[in-house]
Amino acid sequence: MSSKQKILSVAGLLSGALVWGVMWYPYRLLHGMGVGGILSTLITYCVAMLLGLFFMGPIWRELRHAGWQSIVLLASAGWTNLGYVLATLEGEIMRVMLLFYLAPLWTLFFSYWLLREKLNSFGYAIILLSLSGAFVILWDARHGLPLPQNLAEWIGLSAGMSFALMNVMVRRIQHLSLNFKVVSAWFGTALFTAVLAGYQDSFMTGLQNIPTDAWGWLLAVGLAICVITYSVQYGLTHLPANQAIVLFLSELVFAAVSAYLLAGEEIGSREIIGAGLIVSASLLSGKIHHHSSTNKIKSAWENK
């Protein structure tokens, strides 16, 4: 990888972290205008997909080469994006985001399974730190077991698992173009959301009653998603999965600042300690690839 590609990859992932660190806010504004999370997600990702397809050309030619891996990418991207919206609409931003950012733990397992990246001492440290961070954040003497306390937190946790899988799949599917991967993320989210919307009796009524000023926000968010998804997918394609997750950590900073300024949320001592453990795990995840490269341990995929 050239130095230019590396710079662009890092910039793409950091810009994605900034946008997604504050993206919860326009979705909450839309929710306040009467546009629910499922409906707003469906519209914004349809906007992103239509805008993207206009510039990307005939990517459907790659469908015959896509295979089962593209279906996994499509499904994982769909739940990652929809889960993010639903979790941040109802839950405390930082608790949800910290559970989402247990992703290095899940990335470790998916990388071993799909990329053949071998587990070493850093990997065991990541497991310990991630689980310790989750334990600190979730422990509640009244409920006993350190589990998510509400539906939003469960969604945030599962979306983080899905994000880890998407991260690894983008890295694995090297035979498909970047454009195809980007559209898969948009289409997967739109399809996933459309299926859920079909079970809502009030969906059509909500669609017909969207306020005029809400359409401006929907179009703006769709445009932002269009641009930033391409940037993020570029970074995920050219950087190792365990290094990419480290760059995404800056999203926690952007989320914490925006949650404090825009939602008045304050971070407690447990969240701070848990965040420190999870951040440490994420930082160590970048060492896995470096350590394995130094010792000439290569995955079967990387040797192709």
Side-chain angles (χ1 to χ4, degrees):
M1 180 174 60
S2 67
S3 58
K4 181 180 179 180
Q5 282 182 321
K6 185 172 183 179
I7 292 172
L8 289 175
S9 298
V10 171
L13 292 175
L14 286 177
S15 61
L18 171 60
V19 170
W20 285 111
V22 300
M23 186 63 82
W24 61 270
Y25 184 66
Y27 278 112
R28 281 196 177 184
L29 288 179
L30 287 165
H31 188 71
M33 296 177 186
V35 186
I38 291 179
L39 180 56
S40 61
T41 303
L42 176 59
I43 294 174
T44 52
Y45 276 87
C46 283
V47 169
M49 184 169 60
L50 291 174
L51 289 173
L53 286 173
F54 183 77
F55 294 102
M56 289 183 180
I59 63 168
W60 55 84
R61 294 175 181 173
E62 298 183 59
L63 283 173
R64 64 179 181 272
H65 304 298
W68 66 268
Q69 297 174 97
S70 64
I71 298 175
V72 176
L73 173 62
L74 184 147
S76 60
W79 182 240
T80 296
N81 294 320
L82 177 59
Y84 168 91
V85 174
L86 296 179
T88 54
L89 279 179
E90 302 296 337
E92 293 182 26
I93 299 299
M94 280 309 299
R95 283 181 65 87
V96 166
M97 294 298 286
L98 287 171
L99 290 173
F100 185 93
Y101 271 95
L102 285 172
L105 175 61
W106 320 124
T107 299
L108 199 67
F109 297 119
F110 288 131
S111 294
Y112 176 80
W113 178 38
L114 295 169
L115 301 180
R116 298 296 186 266
E117 292 182 356
K118 296 184 178 181
L119 190 65
N120 54 25
S121 57
F122 291 109
Y124 293 113
I126 289 169
I127 293 174
L128 177 61
L129 288 170
S130 297
L131 292 178
S132 298
F135 184 91
V136 171
I137 294 169
L138 297 174
W139 175 257
D140 188 333
R142 294 173 300 173
H143 298 89
L145 292 175
L147 298 173
Q149 300 301 315
N150 51 57
L151 180 59
E153 293 183 4
W154 278 111
I155 292 175
L157 179 65
S158 64
M161 294 180 183
S162 191
F163 173 66
L165 178 57
M166 181 192 75
N167 185 346
V168 172
M169 290 306 300
V170 168
R171 177 70 176 168
R172 177 183 171 94
I173 306 175
Q174 297 290 351
H175 65 286
L176 297 176
S177 70
L178 174 61
N179 287 353
F180 188 91
K181 296 173 187 177
V182 170
V183 173
S184 294
W186 296 328
F187 180 70
T189 305
L191 180 61
F192 209 107
T193 309
V195 171
L196 290 181
Y199 289 95
Q200 290 187 323
D201 296 332
S202 60
F203 174 74
M204 290 306 299
T205 302
L207 183 62
Q208 294 168 359
N209 294 329
I210 295 177
T212 303
D213 53 347
W215 278 108
W217 278 104
L218 289 167
L219 293 174
V221 172
L223 176 61
I225 290 172
C226 179
V227 175
I228 212 62
T229 304
Y230 190 91
S231 300
V232 168
Q233 296 286 8
Y234 182 89
L236 290 176
T237 298
H238 292 93
L239 287 179
N242 288 312
Q243 288 184 1
I245 198 66
V246 176
L247 293 172
F248 270 119
L249 275 177
S250 56
E251 182 177 338
L252 290 175
V253 178
F254 299 130
V257 173
S258 62
Y260 176 76
L261 295 176
L262 300 174
E265 292 186 8
E266 296 185 1
I267 304 176
S269 57
R270 284 195 305 167
E271 284 74 20
I272 292 174
I273 296 172
L277 292 168
I278 292 173
V279 167
S280 298
S282 296
L283 292 175
L284 275 181
S285 68
K287 295 288 187 180
I288 293 178
H289 182 80
H290 175 74
H291 182 76
S292 61
S293 297
T294 301
N295 291 282
K296 307 299 183 181
I297 300 175
K298 299 293 185 178
S299 68
W301 182 261
E302 289 173 323
N303 278 329
K304 289 184 179 180

